[in-house]
Amino acid sequence: MTPSDQRYEPSFQEPLFILAMDQRSSFAKLFGLEENADEAGLAKMRDAKLMIYEGLHQAAASGLEVGRAGVLVDEHLGSEVARRAKADGHVLAMPIEKSGTTLFELEYGKDYPEHLAAYDPDFFKVLVRYNPADEAAERTTQIQRLAEVSAWAAKTGWRWLFELLVPPTREQLAQNEDQFHFDREARPGLTAEAISAFSKGGVHPTVWKLEGYETTEGAEEVLRAVAAQADGPSECIVLGRNALMEQVEHWLSVAAPLPGYAGFAVGRSIWIAALQDLLAGRIDRDDAVATIASRYKTLVDAYSAARRPGSGSGASTEPFTWQHPRLTPDREARIRRALAGADMRGTRVPAWMAATLLAEVDALRADKGDGSAGA
């Protein structure tokens, strides 16, 4: 069956801002449950996904400066979210891959077209972990499986998202000192190489859902690989990888000014803290919804601001790392936004924020020759 209406495609002019909640196995772990829990456990998880969706809907109702709101949700725990998103007019994407596997597998085997037809999402999504240094047989298997999906999508008219994760090998991580340096120095080239391999193997998604890049040069290297695809270039959106909000804001500030990028798909970075606080009884449902709405809107606003003329390249911002914790202008702006209108009673300061402020205090003391630095 072909999709009923597939006219919208994200673009530089009209980006797509997806709140992702398609996690299954990892989502269940937040509740101390298995993915296939009993009915009571499933009901709790499904209601939690509805709560997350309410945050998206609340934010979208307040108006977006540019682009469209969307949701990425699974059938197993998010069927009601999928139906509400369609009814509310938000862009809907749904995964077809099996959760938690190393190599790409289909969740419902050859029956995935029927499952998609039941919900008629705007996009389906695949998640693939692929490193050019993986075993050759594994790389070939992944490409062949995805080429079959790509051919089916081209034949039937379905649009789809390809979420590509490039986890470092132990050798690559050792060569680059740590994850941050791997992300900055090695991952753009490896991602470009992976995209080229999939393209040559017959894999042509509508949208590449990619990890964020630390520098404009890294993002542009990946865009060149996307533009060289044999079947024509696709758009790219930035994923969140459960990173700190200021890290995600940095990735968005790098990507947003570049034609070829068309939004983001961020999940746990937006909603996991609110969900954990709700489950622990620290906040109520309304507070959790409001928090999710605020964090989603923060990222939309950051993306929109980075697109404006004169906003400057994302390369001028500096994400927090333990190696470089000083108070840069973008970090200060993030702190001021977090504190604006906040109730100081019981406010919990994120670790990165505390580390940044303490590093600044230590630096000021050192500049003054105060022997109490670091005390």
Side-chain angles (χ1 to χ4, degrees):
M1 182 179 292
T2 58
S4 61
D5 182 2
Q6 295 290 309
R7 289 173 293 181
Y8 169 72
E9 289 190 31
S11 65
F12 179 77
Q13 294 76 18
E14 187 71 3
L16 173 60
F17 304 119
I18 290 177
L19 180 58
M21 60 175 95
D22 60 319
Q23 294 83 3
R24 283 147 279 173
S25 298
S26 62
F27 195 81
K29 290 178 182 178
L30 294 172
F31 295 77
L33 300 169
E34 297 295 329
E35 183 179 342
N36 293 310
D38 60 21
E39 284 303 315
L42 289 173
K44 289 180 181 179
M45 292 189 285
R46 288 166 179 163
D47 184 64
K49 291 209 171 185
L50 277 175
M51 182 273 295
I52 295 168
Y53 172 74
E54 289 166 11
L56 166 75
H57 187 58
Q58 184 179 106
S62 68
L64 305 182
E65 180 178 325
V66 66
R68 292 187 61 179
V71 60
L72 170 60
V73 69
D74 60 292
E75 176 181 339
H76 181 56
L77 298 175
S79 57
E80 181 61 26
V81 171
R83 285 189 281 267
R84 289 198 189 183
K86 290 285 287 186
D88 292 336
H90 301 309
V91 175
L92 173 64
M94 300 185 75
I96 63 169
E97 82 279 350
K98 184 178 291 187
S99 177
T101 60
T102 301
L103 299 183
F104 171 76
E105 295 182 43
L106 291 164
E107 175 76 18
Y108 300 105
K110 294 183 179 180
D111 294 333
Y112 72 90
E114 287 73 21
H115 284 263
L116 289 174
Y119 293 91
D120 190 28
D122 299 277
F123 299 88
F124 70 84
K125 185 223 72 171
V126 302
L127 168 63
V128 180
R129 295 173 177 84
Y130 181 101
N131 188 309
D134 291 339
E135 293 292 335
E138 293 183 356
R139 287 185 277 123
T140 298
T141 297
Q142 299 251 67
I143 292 172
Q144 289 175 344
R145 291 176 179 177
L146 271 297
E148 292 178 5
V149 172
S150 185
W152 174 81
K155 180 180 179 180
T156 57
W158 279 94
R159 286 170 169 78
W160 60 298
L161 311 175
F162 189 126
E163 180 176 353
L164 175 62
L165 301 180
V166 184
T169 65
R170 289 184 178 180
E171 293 77 11
Q172 290 168 345
L173 205 57
Q175 291 167 359
N176 291 277
E177 298 183 41
D178 54 26
Q179 182 71 46
F180 173 76
H181 287 89
F182 170 81
D183 287 343
R184 182 182 180 93
E185 305 299 335
R187 187 160 49 77
L190 293 170
T191 304
E193 189 176 344
I195 289 170
S196 177
F198 278 109
S199 179
K200 291 176 182 177
V203 181
H204 307 295
T206 312
V207 177
W208 290 96
K209 184 171 177 279
L210 302 172
E211 295 165 281
Y213 299 100
E214 303 298 335
T215 67
T216 299
E217 292 75 17
E220 288 175 334
E221 181 176 4
V222 173
L223 285 178
R224 287 193 292 272
V226 172
Q229 288 184 104
D231 198 43
S234 304
E235 299 295 330
C236 299
I237 59 177
V238 181
L239 60 85
R241 210 172 69 182
N242 197 23
L244 296 171
M245 283 285 284
E246 75 282 359
Q247 175 75 72
V248 179
E249 286 186 67
H250 171 72
W251 291 337
L252 299 184
S253 73
V254 169
L258 302 177
Y261 280 97
F264 64 72
V266 179
R268 291 170 295 175
S269 301
I270 294 173
W271 53 255
I272 194 168
L275 177 57
Q276 290 172 329
D277 284 346
L278 178 64
L279 293 176
R282 291 187 288 267
I283 59 176
D284 63 21
R285 186 188 183 97
D286 288 344
D287 289 335
V289 169
T291 298
I292 291 167
S294 175
R295 289 168 74 87
Y296 172 83
K297 195 70 182 300
T298 292
L299 295 187
V300 172
D301 291 346
Y303 195 98
S304 302
R307 288 162 42 96
R308 297 186 194 119
S311 64
S313 165
S316 64
T317 66
E318 185 178 347
F320 173 84
T321 70
W322 292 108
Q323 292 84 6
H324 305 287
R326 289 292 300 276
L327 185 64
T328 54
D330 54 306
R331 291 179 199 159
E332 179 184 353
R334 170 74 177 137
I335 292 170
R336 291 187 183 281
R337 283 198 300 273
L339 294 178
D343 184 346
M344 293 299 113
R345 294 169 296 180
T347 298
R348 292 180 299 145
V349 178
W352 77 267
M353 194 180 292
T356 290
L357 295 175
L358 288 174
E360 198 65 22
V361 169
D362 287 345
L364 289 170
R365 286 174 173 168
D367 288 345
K368 293 179 179 179
D370 187 339
S372 62

